Amino acid sequence: FLAGCSQSSSLSVTAKIGGTSQALMSNQTTANKDLVLSRARVLINELELHEKAMGAGKGEKPHAGGPGKAGHGGGGGNCPNMGGKGGSSGEKGHGPVNGPQHDEPGPYVIDLQGDALLSGATKSFPLGDVKAGTYNEAVIEVEPIDDETAWVTDAALDDFKKNSASVLMEGTYKGVAFSYVSKLHIEQPLPTPLTISDKLDLQLAVDPTQWFLDTDGSALDPTDAAAHDKIAESICRSISFGDQDHAASNEGKVCTIQ
């Protein structure tokens, strides 16, 4: 398998979302009861996957296929049919040589709005395809579009590109409309080895009720520029990832506020 061409598997995210309406009934968030969050978008720029080498010599590196046009996907190195599909899934093909194989599917947009934010929900987002295989390193990266993913053309990415953002939110605070933009970087490893056969369903736990609260429970005003970084820190604390065999957790997560 590792020495030749590989099959693709379906990739999805199942998001478990905490509802803001329930939280507003508790004393913890009473101070922030005037905040109404109508939409929140999070950009998963890449899911970085690295496979174990099979008899690779030291210093040997995989040859990566080039990025493809929208709707077509990258070249597949020695496996020309294994390029990513492009478009909304935006995968990049990487073909194996003698060194470790790697794959970096993305970018993907997780778009939360309406009742999912208000009442809480479990929602699935199909993301396209990923290479089947066993990976000894798997890292989810929430970050702005970078040079490696800038070639992907998808209308869902336009606002992220325009704002160089990884998190976009809209709502009202004390009756005043706000838009929140963050360049937050989150890197979180998944438990490995990670074996992908017919599918990979990532688990995302996200709690919007905590996004506008400081560590002491006091309200954070999204219309106040001075609160911007504290909100980003709260977002980081309340987002965690896992996979279909491991519940979402914060283990190994690294956040960078920019």
Side-chain angles (χ1 to χ4, degrees):
F1 165 76
L2 290 176
C5 297
S6 57
Q7 64 182 9
S8 62
S9 304
S10 64
L11 177 64
S12 61
V13 166
T14 297
K16 295 183 179 180
I17 309 155
T20 56
S21 62
Q22 296 174 347
L24 292 178
M25 298 177 188
S26 69
N27 291 332
Q28 182 183 11
T29 56
T30 299
N32 217 7
K33 64 183 179 182
D34 292 321
L35 188 141
V36 177
L37 185 60
S38 57
R39 189 180 189 188
R41 287 173 286 172
V42 177
L43 176 66
I44 301 176
N45 190 41
E46 290 179 342
L47 169 60
E48 189 170 352
L49 301 168
H50 292 268
E51 294 179 341
K52 290 183 178 180
M54 296 291 287
K58 290 185 178 180
E60 296 183 40
K61 297 181 179 180
H63 289 185
K69 297 179 181 179
H72 293 286
N78 289 350
C79 298
N81 295 323
M82 284 306 299
K85 288 185 177 181
S88 61
S89 59
E91 298 174 25
K92 296 172 286 183
H94 294 269
V97 188
N98 294 322
Q101 299 180 67
H102 66 288
D103 197 18
E104 296 178 358
Y108 308 113
V109 176
I110 306 301
D111 191 345
L112 309 175
Q113 52 186 306
D115 289 341
L117 284 173
L118 182 63
S119 303
T122 298
K123 189 173 182 179
S124 182
F125 298 85
L127 301 182
D129 295 330
V130 65
K131 285 184 183 179
T134 298
Y135 298 89
N136 70 345
E137 183 179 2
V139 180
I140 295 175
E141 299 180 358
V142 173
E143 60 182 359
I145 296 288
D146 57 19
D147 291 342
E148 294 183 358
T149 53
W151 59 272
V152 180
T153 56
D154 188 323
L157 301 175
D158 289 349
D159 288 341
F160 289 96
K161 290 181 177 181
K162 181 173 63 177
N163 292 283
S164 299
S166 59
V167 177
L168 298 170
M169 292 190 287
E170 302 164 19
T172 61
Y173 184 70
K174 295 184 177 180
V176 178
F178 74 87
S179 295
Y180 178 87
V181 177
S182 175
K183 299 180 180 181
L184 174 66
H185 287 235
I186 301 175
E187 290 189 7
Q188 182 165 352
L190 297 175
T192 54
L194 175 65
T195 298
I196 304 172
S197 53
D198 59 331
K199 67 177 181 178
L200 173 61
D201 184 31
L202 301 174
Q203 302 296 305
L204 167 62
V206 55
D207 188 1
T209 67
Q210 302 300 306
W211 288 357
F212 300 95
L213 292 176
D214 207 344
T215 52
D216 62 1
S218 60
L220 294 172
D221 179 357
T223 66
D224 181 2
H228 181 276
D229 288 356
K230 287 188 175 183
I231 294 173
E233 292 171 1
S234 296
I235 293 170
C236 180
R237 286 193 299 270
S238 68
I239 290 180
S240 58
F241 290 95
D243 60 46
Q244 56 209 22
D245 298 317
H246 302 89
S249 75
N250 286 314
E251 185 174 356
K253 181 170 66 177
V254 176
C255 297
T256 306
I257 311 298
Q258 294 188 349

